[in-house]
Amino acid sequence: MVFSFNTTYKQLDPDLYSRVAPKNIDNPEILSINDGLCADLGLDAAKLNAHILAGQDLIEEPIAQAYAGHQYGSFTVLGDGRAMILGEHVHAGDRYDIQLKGSGRTPYSGRGDGNATVSSMLREYLYSYAMQNLNIKTSRSLAVIETEEAVERRQTEPGAILVRVMNSHIRYGTFQYVAAQVSDELPRFTDYVIDRHYPQLKTEDRTYLEFFDAVMQSSIEMVVDWLRVGFIHGVMNTDNMSIDGETFDYGPCAFMNYYDEETVFSSIDKHGRYAFGNQRPILRWNLERLAEALQPLCTQSALTSNELEAKLDEFEDRFDAQYYTMMRRKLGINSDGEKELVDEFVEWLRTSNADYTNTFLELEMPGTFDDPVFVTAEFERLRNKLTAVGLDEELMQEANPRYIPRNYLVEEALNEYIETGNLSKLKGLLTVLEDPYTSMDLDSQFQQPPPREFDAEYATYCNT
Ligand code: AMP
Ligand code: MG
């Protein structure tokens, strides 16, 4: 057996999931497989063929999970419409959901076709790989499998399946679903999630409050990490917020190049709800929705609404603490404090609209980039000010990536595959993103931001 499955989710209330079967696939083909992840999961890569990875050789009956969520602010009951969990793989004491995305319709598909395009699954593979190597907690991609069917989106493309690995796919929206549909189950479900993700809390007296506290903390850490590298998730609906602080659902995500907190790439996010600089207030809004979903626990346990409210009130201070610690590391400041200097520097980023990634590399290694924005008197003044308290190289090197997935390079790589069937550009990008904190002797294109016009017009898409 390739996977060691022990699927505890199936022991929960049957309203929480449906048993499903992946669609039949005639000639599945592995396009990419993540050897490092195979090793981390204790899997024998040689035994992992395309049939197994496409769900054509089942060990047990897969499930699709039910959940709900606020999508762009509106509450909706949902579920895995094109995803199926093959099982929970247990290795070295750790448990992982092995999930197929794009494996066909489920009872939650609505009008969706249950499919995914090969470009969107390769895109998710690339971004999750980059995020993992940027040391950000994330879902991981074990493989992309191409299928022979034609999937119709903006353009017709081959279909694909992504094999996605997470600690679990339980999300804020799963709690919203339980609260709305099977609220009697909420204590049992919450206990399950605590056992699975926050077992250290079992010794605490006030477990449910501590649970909310821990989710808040892991989510804050996740979003602050996004802000560190310029990541814009793009669709922070509550159904895309992991209960364990794992970044996931790489749809319309992209990295910001030129610093602008209003940056949005997602084509449907017309009002900038999920803009780069809105990710903090949206996280708080999402935590408020999670706290609402936990309300039934207030009649079923010792938890009180006031306690949850008081926890939420800690949000701004706790986010600030995490954020300023992160920004100090980016600026190489070894001490506490220096909040004003951080603010002053961020204000410079706002007004200069400089490339976010390269700014910190230029601070660390002056003269690296031939960009007029870095030879201004104001940048010089700030750099001098930082020299006195910061610019510790070691700190900076750990916090500031050399490489991020540059939007135009990602698009070029995906287009190359769609147009010619060649994966060489994508593989080149994956190689660069394998170790994004180490400068490599490479064509400088990997460090160049796209032309400003490219980013201004760049659009990303959901559900492709
Ligand atoms: P997302 O925007 O990826 O979080 O998706 C929102 C919901 O739509 C999820 O419940 C998905 O499972 C579902 N969904 C997205 N694309 C499809 C599709 N092609 N077929 C069926 N369901 C889909
Ligand atoms: Mg989703």
Side-chain angles (χ1 to χ4, degrees), residues 215-278:
V215 175
M216 179 155 122
Q217 187 58 30
S218 62
S219 301
I220 287 174
E221 286 171 16
M222 173 182 81
V223 172
V224 167
D225 256 339
W226 297 353
L227 302 186
R228 176 168 65 82
V229 297
F231 179 75
I232 306 170
H233 182 281
V235 59
M236 284 175 75
N237 294 336
T238 54
D239 50 297
N240 292 335
M241 300 292 300
S242 136
I243 208 71
D244 195 29
E246 294 176 275
T247 308
F248 86 115
D249 226 338
Y250 293 92
C253 69
F255 281 70
M256 174 181 69
N257 297 293
Y258 304 104
Y259 193 88
D260 178 355
E261 287 160 15
E262 289 177 14
T263 307
V264 173
F265 294 112
S266 172
S267 56
I268 59 168
D269 192 3
K270 298 285 180 225
H271 302 289
R273 180 180 173 92
Y274 300 134
F276 178 75
N278 262 357

Side-chain angles (χ1 to χ4, degrees), residues 67 71 164 171 239-240 248-249 463:
Y67 50 84
Q71 298 193 300
R164 179 159 80 178
R171 41 199 102 206
D239 50 297
N240 292 335
F248 86 115
D249 226 338
N463 303 340

Side-chain angles (χ1 to χ4, degrees), residues 53 98-100 140-143 145 161-165:
L53 289 167
I98 307 292
Q99 193 201 57
L100 305 187
R140 298 178 73 185
S141 301
L142 184 62
I145 314 298
I161 289 175
L162 178 85
V163 187
R164 179 159 80 178
V165 180

Side-chain angles (χ1 to χ4, degrees), residues 366-378:
T368 303
F369 298 100
D370 182 17
D371 184 336
V373 83
F374 299 134
V375 289
T376 57
E378 186 57 6

